[in-house]
Amino acid sequence: MSVAVLGLLIAAFIALRVPIAFAILGPCLAYMWSHDQSVGFAMRTATGGVNSWPLLAVPLFILVGFLATRAGIAERVFALVLALFGKFRGALGYVNIGVSLGFSWMNGSALADAAGVGSIEIPHMVKKGYPQRFAVGLTAASSVIGPIMPPSIPAVVFASVALVSTSALFAASVVPALLICLTLAVYVFFWARGHDDLPNEPFEWAQVRRTTLGGLGALIAPIIILGGILEGYFTPTEAAAVGAVYMLLLGFLYRSLKLRDLPKVFADTATTTAAIMVILGASSLLGWILARERVPQSIAEAFLGFTDNKIVFLLLVNVLLLVLGAIIEPTSALVISVPVLLPVATQLGVDPIHFGVIVVLNLMIGLMTPPIGGVLFVLSSVTKTPVAEVFRGVAPFLIPLLVTLALITFIPQLALWLPGLLDL
Amino acid sequence: MQTTTTRQEQPWGLQRPRWLAAGLRGIELIELTFGAICVVAIVALVMLQVLARVTPLDNQVWTGELARFSLVWMSFGLAGYLLGRDEHIALDVVDHVLPPLGQRLVKAFSLVVVAATALMFGYEGLDLFTAGSPIKSPATGIPLAWIYFIPMLGMALTVLRAVVELVFPSSHEGQIRVAGEVITDDTLAADGDALTHAALGEKPPTADKETVR
């Protein structure tokens, strides 16, 4: 079996609704057996791809997100941000962004953000007279902050596939995540100028004090998780475990988490993790085959024959990943594309950490675009609105996100400044 | 994380017998319990490493190794459960563009591919398990052959699910999966209302919550 047939089979199986892990694994096994590789080698390679200390952060960060949701952290952050920013014109727009930022420290998934935070914010915004399209679009756009700001599950997966430091990638993602907040806030500012009729929330110190006390536990979480990693107290995996234990204690302290909730939380963590990890295992085998066949080198030569301009390459990568992200689930798109694109990027002098930030941001924007955009489906369910209508709301917010993507792509220092400062 | 949506479809094939449905539910319960135990084990083992750093405890190398093995076992051990629940990550565009008959044919083809793949992969695991290799893992001393037992079992259960789904298909229509939870449209809307009231310190009028799983 040639590598071209292998690629075609994988693409055909994915298109024909075969689970992506098996769509990769099946043709890879056929390749291994047709090339007389010893029986058992494929199993060793696939399980070896998952048998990784950095990847242990994935189930742990997923657990942190589930526990934070169950513990009612999103509601507390919402109440706090509303008390702080409620008096500005278009306040609920800024609150929407602020809540996603606050929740992002505990949650590395755009879908969890859209479902958890969106289900609080959208009804409130609509009730206060904001157009539903605006509320849905902004919620979708701000949900991208979650998987960019550490802890980020796609970043952990990228670091594992690309063999780069997870801590460095986490640090590199902080400024881009804040930049997304800023560009979205600018959009809200200009939008709100044309909507004088929107009501404000009164600013009261008593309310700020009350909600700050209520949200204190949530405010400490990023200090433990991100502070622990960036200050070198914990590895990302250890920080995730500490974060999970902290969320567990916080949930019990708030009395929003019951012992009887835990089996379901743990089981959901296990199934969500397994769905990601089995793809990573299969992609390890695919990676081994691609390396054996020198595919990355061939693609690198083809790319370099076309252009040796870093800027043109990054533009092409952005277009490719935006399309890929719109049709394939991000983790799958990541494990398929990174082994092929990263060698070209490094040959052209693109820093792997910078490249990681670009890849993750592209794939997350893909979550907001048809036909597969998961965030669209989630918000369609939350608001009981057709997916097409949700996309009409989301479409204008693609502009600030694409502006952010362009800034991060062409000004590498935006991503690389913090890891450099922290010597990571 | 994934979102899976499935269009309305009528199950084809034979009605699933009660004994089979009950048996599969029992297997699911065992799989979920196993997965939950792996998660707890990972948290506990990684925390032991953290504690070893900040307390006078010796660093126990075996904790890291066992945590990694737990991740492997959980990942491949739950493959069958995910197939049975249609929760594997898949590109389901065909569900939106094909007529019902086309959807059924594609689903059947997909299940055949999964069964064949799981059979081949499970055979690899069986070969490693029965090879009788004397090699043990460096820290825990677990025979390496045993490491592959659970992935092999996971693949066997995947073949079982694929065959059962082919002959006695179940329907997952209207299912939306968000961040690990299978939720109905109504649940999301009800959760949204309830959370909004909670956030604003208001008393919700009614809480009408229903979780599928």
Coordinates of all heavy atoms in Angstrom, one line a residue, chain A residues 113-166:
Chain A
D113 N -17.6 26.7 27.2 CA -17.8 28.2 27.4 C -19.1 28.6 26.8 O -20.0 29.3 27.5 CB -16.7 29.0 26.9 CG -16.8 30.5 27.2 OD1 -17.7 31.1 26.6 OD2 -16.0 31.0 28.0
A114 N -19.4 28.2 25.5 CA -20.6 28.6 24.9 C -21.8 28.1 25.6 O -22.8 28.8 25.7 CB -20.6 28.2 23.4
A115 N -21.7 26.8 26.0 CA -22.9 26.2 26.6 C -23.1 26.8 28.1 O -24.2 27.1 28.4 CB -22.7 24.7 26.7
G116 N -22.0 26.8 28.8 CA -22.1 27.2 30.2 C -22.4 28.7 30.4 O -23.3 29.1 31.0
V117 N -21.5 29.5 29.8 CA -21.6 31.0 30.0 C -22.7 31.5 29.1 O -23.5 32.4 29.5 CB -20.3 31.6 29.7 CG1 -20.4 33.1 29.8 CG2 -19.2 31.1 30.6
G118 N -22.8 31.0 27.9 CA -23.8 31.5 26.9 C -25.3 31.3 27.5 O -26.1 32.1 27.3
S119 N -25.5 30.2 28.2 CA -26.8 29.9 28.7 C -27.2 30.9 29.8 O -28.4 31.1 30.1 CB -27.0 28.5 29.2 OG -26.0 28.2 30.2
I120 N -26.2 31.6 30.4 CA -26.5 32.6 31.4 C -26.7 33.9 30.7 O -27.6 34.7 31.0 CB -25.3 32.7 32.4 CG1 -25.1 31.4 33.1 CG2 -25.6 33.8 33.4 CD1 -23.8 31.4 33.9
E121 N -25.8 34.2 29.8 CA -25.7 35.6 29.3 C -26.8 35.9 28.2 O -27.3 37.0 28.2 CB -24.3 35.8 28.6 CG -23.2 35.9 29.7 CD -21.8 35.8 29.0 OE1 -21.7 35.3 27.9 OE2 -20.9 36.3 29.6
I122 N -27.0 35.0 27.3 CA -27.9 35.4 26.2 C -29.3 35.7 26.6 O -29.8 36.7 26.3 CB -27.9 34.2 25.1 CG1 -26.5 34.1 24.5 CG2 -28.9 34.5 24.0 CD1 -26.3 32.9 23.6
P123 N -29.9 34.9 27.5 CA -31.2 35.2 27.9 C -31.3 36.6 28.7 O -32.2 37.4 28.5 CB -31.6 34.1 28.9 CG -30.7 33.0 28.6 CD -29.4 33.6 28.1
H124 N -30.2 36.9 29.4 CA -30.1 38.1 30.2 C -30.0 39.3 29.2 O -30.7 40.3 29.4 CB -29.0 38.1 31.1 CG -29.0 39.3 32.1 ND1 -30.0 39.5 33.0 CD2 -28.1 40.3 32.3 CE1 -29.7 40.6 33.7 NE2 -28.6 41.1 33.3
M125 N -29.2 39.1 28.2 CA -29.0 40.2 27.2 C -30.3 40.5 26.4 O -30.7 41.6 26.2 CB -27.8 39.9 26.2 CG -26.5 39.9 26.9 SD -25.1 39.4 25.8 CE -24.9 40.9 24.8
V126 N -30.9 39.4 26.0 CA -32.2 39.6 25.3 C -33.2 40.2 26.1 O -34.0 41.1 25.7 CB -32.6 38.2 24.7 CG1 -34.0 38.3 24.1 CG2 -31.6 37.6 23.7
K127 N -33.3 39.8 27.4 CA -34.3 40.4 28.3 C -34.1 41.9 28.5 O -35.0 42.6 28.7 CB -34.1 39.7 29.7 CG -35.2 39.9 30.7 CD -35.0 39.0 31.9 CE -35.6 39.5 33.1 NZ -35.2 38.7 34.3
K128 N -32.8 42.3 28.4 CA -32.5 43.7 28.6 C -32.5 44.5 27.3 O -32.1 45.7 27.2 CB -31.1 43.9 29.2 CG -31.0 43.3 30.6 CD -31.6 44.3 31.6 CE -31.5 43.8 33.0 NZ -32.2 44.6 34.0
G129 N -33.0 43.9 26.2 CA -33.2 44.6 25.0 C -32.2 44.5 23.9 O -32.2 45.2 22.9
Y130 N -31.1 43.7 24.2 CA -30.1 43.5 23.2 C -30.6 42.6 22.1 O -31.4 41.7 22.4 CB -28.9 42.9 23.8 CG -28.0 43.8 24.6 CD1 -28.5 44.2 25.9 CD2 -26.8 44.3 24.2 CE1 -27.7 45.1 26.7 CE2 -26.0 45.1 25.0 CZ -26.5 45.5 26.2 OH -25.8 46.3 27.0
P131 N -30.3 42.9 20.8 CA -30.8 42.0 19.7 C -30.2 40.6 19.9 O -29.0 40.5 20.3 CB -30.2 42.7 18.5 CG -29.8 44.1 18.8 CD -29.5 44.0 20.3
Q132 N -31.0 39.6 19.7 CA -30.6 38.3 19.9 C -29.4 37.9 19.0 O -28.4 37.3 19.5 CB -31.7 37.3 19.6 CG -31.3 35.8 19.6 CD -32.3 34.9 20.2 OE1 -33.0 35.3 21.1 NE2 -32.4 33.7 19.7
R133 N -29.4 38.4 17.8 CA -28.2 38.1 16.9 C -26.9 38.6 17.5 O -25.9 38.0 17.4 CB -28.4 38.8 15.5 CG -29.1 38.0 14.5 CD -29.0 38.7 13.2 NE -29.9 38.0 12.2 CZ -30.2 38.5 11.0 NH1 -29.6 39.6 10.6 NH2 -31.0 37.9 10.2
F134 N -27.0 39.8 18.0 CA -25.8 40.4 18.7 C -25.3 39.6 19.9 O -24.1 39.3 20.0 CB -26.1 41.9 19.1 CG -24.9 42.5 19.8 CD1 -23.9 43.1 19.1 CD2 -24.9 42.6 21.2 CE1 -22.8 43.7 19.8 CE2 -23.8 43.2 21.9 CZ -22.8 43.7 21.2
A135 N -26.3 39.2 20.7 CA -26.0 38.4 21.9 C -25.4 37.1 21.5 O -24.4 36.7 22.1 CB -27.3 38.2 22.7
V136 N -26.0 36.4 20.6 CA -25.5 35.1 20.1 C -24.1 35.2 19.5 O -23.2 34.5 19.8 CB -26.5 34.4 19.2 CG1 -25.9 33.2 18.5 CG2 -27.8 34.1 19.9
G137 N -23.9 36.2 18.6 CA -22.7 36.4 17.9 C -21.5 36.7 18.9 O -20.5 36.1 18.8
L138 N -21.8 37.6 19.8 CA -20.7 38.0 20.7 C -20.4 36.8 21.7 O -19.2 36.6 22.0 CB -21.2 39.2 21.6 CG -20.2 39.7 22.6 CD1 -18.9 40.1 21.9 CD2 -20.7 40.9 23.4
T139 N -21.4 36.1 22.1 CA -21.1 34.9 22.9 C -20.3 33.9 22.2 O -19.4 33.3 22.8 CB -22.5 34.2 23.4 OG1 -23.3 35.2 24.0 CG2 -22.2 33.1 24.3
A140 N -20.6 33.6 20.9 CA -19.8 32.7 20.1 C -18.4 33.2 20.0 O -17.4 32.5 20.3 CB -20.4 32.5 18.8
A141 N -18.2 34.5 19.7 CA -16.9 35.0 19.5 C -16.1 35.0 20.8 O -14.9 34.6 20.8 CB -17.0 36.5 19.0
S142 N -16.7 35.3 21.9 CA -16.0 35.4 23.2 C -15.7 34.0 23.7 O -14.8 33.8 24.5 CB -16.7 36.2 24.2 OG -17.9 35.6 24.6
S143 N -16.4 33.0 23.2 CA -16.1 31.6 23.6 C -14.8 31.1 23.1 O -14.2 30.2 23.6 CB -17.2 30.6 23.2 OG -17.1 30.4 21.8
V144 N -14.2 31.8 22.1 CA -12.9 31.5 21.6 C -11.8 31.8 22.6 O -10.7 31.2 22.6 CB -12.7 32.2 20.3 CG1 -11.2 32.1 19.8 CG2 -13.6 31.8 19.2
I145 N -12.1 32.7 23.5 CA -11.1 33.1 24.5 C -10.7 31.9 25.4 O -9.5 31.7 25.7 CB -11.6 34.2 25.4 CG1 -11.9 35.5 24.6 CG2 -10.6 34.6 26.5 CD1 -12.8 36.5 25.3
G146 N -11.7 31.0 25.7 CA -11.5 29.9 26.6 C -10.4 28.9 26.2 O -9.4 28.7 26.9
P147 N -10.4 28.5 24.9 CA -9.3 27.5 24.5 C -8.0 28.2 24.1 O -7.1 27.5 23.8 CB -10.0 26.8 23.3 CG -11.0 27.7 22.8 CD -11.5 28.5 24.0
I148 N -8.0 29.6 24.1 CA -6.7 30.2 23.8 C -6.0 30.5 25.1 O -4.9 30.2 25.3 CB -7.0 31.6 23.0 CG1 -7.8 31.3 21.7 CG2 -5.6 32.2 22.7 CD1 -7.1 30.5 20.7
M149 N -6.8 31.1 26.0 CA -6.2 31.5 27.3 C -5.9 30.2 28.1 O -6.7 29.2 28.1 CB -7.2 32.3 28.1 CG -6.7 32.7 29.5 SD -5.4 33.9 29.4 CE -6.2 35.4 29.2
P150 N -4.7 30.0 28.7 CA -4.4 28.8 29.5 C -5.4 28.7 30.7 O -5.8 29.7 31.2 CB -3.0 29.1 29.9 CG -2.5 30.3 29.3 CD -3.6 31.0 28.7
P151 N -5.7 27.5 31.1 CA -5.3 26.2 30.5 C -6.1 25.9 29.2 O -7.3 26.0 29.2 CB -5.7 25.2 31.6 CG -6.8 25.9 32.3 CD -6.6 27.3 32.2
S152 N -5.4 25.5 28.2 CA -6.0 25.3 26.9 C -5.8 23.8 26.5 O -4.6 23.4 26.4 CB -5.4 26.2 25.9 OG -5.5 25.7 24.6
I153 N -6.9 23.1 26.3 CA -6.7 21.7 25.9 C -6.1 21.6 24.5 O -5.2 20.8 24.3 CB -8.1 21.0 26.0 CG1 -8.4 20.9 27.5 CG2 -8.0 19.6 25.4 CD1 -9.9 20.6 27.8
P154 N -6.5 22.4 23.5 CA -5.8 22.3 22.2 C -4.3 22.6 22.3 O -3.5 22.0 21.6 CB -6.5 23.3 21.3 CG -7.9 23.5 22.0 CD -7.7 23.3 23.5
A155 N -4.0 23.5 23.2 CA -2.5 23.8 23.4 C -1.8 22.6 23.9 O -0.6 22.3 23.5 CB -2.4 25.0 24.3
V156 N -2.4 21.9 24.9 CA -1.7 20.7 25.4 C -1.5 19.7 24.3 O -0.4 19.1 24.2 CB -2.6 20.1 26.6 CG1 -1.9 18.8 27.1 CG2 -2.7 21.1 27.7
V157 N -2.5 19.5 23.5 CA -2.5 18.5 22.4 C -1.4 19.0 21.4 O -0.6 18.2 21.0 CB -3.8 18.4 21.7 CG1 -3.7 17.4 20.5 CG2 -4.8 17.8 22.7
F158 N -1.4 20.3 21.1 CA -0.4 20.8 20.1 C 1.0 20.5 20.7 O 1.9 20.0 20.0 CB -0.6 22.3 19.8 CG 0.5 22.8 18.9 CD1 0.3 22.8 17.5 CD2 1.7 23.3 19.4 CE1 1.3 23.3 16.6 CE2 2.7 23.7 18.5 CZ 2.5 23.7 17.2
A159 N 1.2 20.9 21.9 CA 2.5 20.7 22.6 C 3.0 19.3 22.5 O 4.2 19.0 22.3 CB 2.5 21.2 24.0
S160 N 2.0 18.4 22.7 CA 2.4 16.9 22.7 C 2.7 16.5 21.3 O 3.7 15.7 21.1 CB 1.2 16.1 23.2 OG 1.4 14.8 23.0
V161 N 2.0 16.9 20.3 CA 2.2 16.5 18.9 C 3.5 17.1 18.4 O 4.3 16.5 17.7 CB 1.0 16.9 18.0 CG1 1.3 16.6 16.5 CG2 -0.2 16.1 18.4
A162 N 3.7 18.4 18.7 CA 4.9 19.1 18.2 C 6.1 19.0 19.0 O 7.2 19.5 18.7 CB 4.5 20.6 18.0
L163 N 6.0 18.3 20.2 CA 7.1 18.2 21.1 C 7.7 19.5 21.5 O 8.9 19.7 21.4 CB 8.2 17.3 20.5 CG 7.7 15.8 20.1 CD1 8.8 15.1 19.5 CD2 7.2 15.1 21.4
V164 N 6.8 20.4 21.9 CA 7.3 21.7 22.5 C 6.8 21.8 23.9 O 6.0 21.1 24.4 CB 6.8 22.9 21.6 CG1 7.4 22.9 20.2 CG2 5.3 23.0 21.6
S165 N 7.3 22.8 24.6 CA 7.0 23.0 26.0 C 5.5 23.5 26.2 O 5.2 24.5 25.6 CB 8.0 24.0 26.7 OG 7.4 24.6 27.8
T166 N 4.8 22.8 27.0 CA 3.4 23.2 27.2 C 3.4 24.5 28.0 O 2.6 25.4 27.7 CB 2.6 22.2 28.0 OG1 2.8 20.9 27.4 CG2 1.1 22.4 28.1

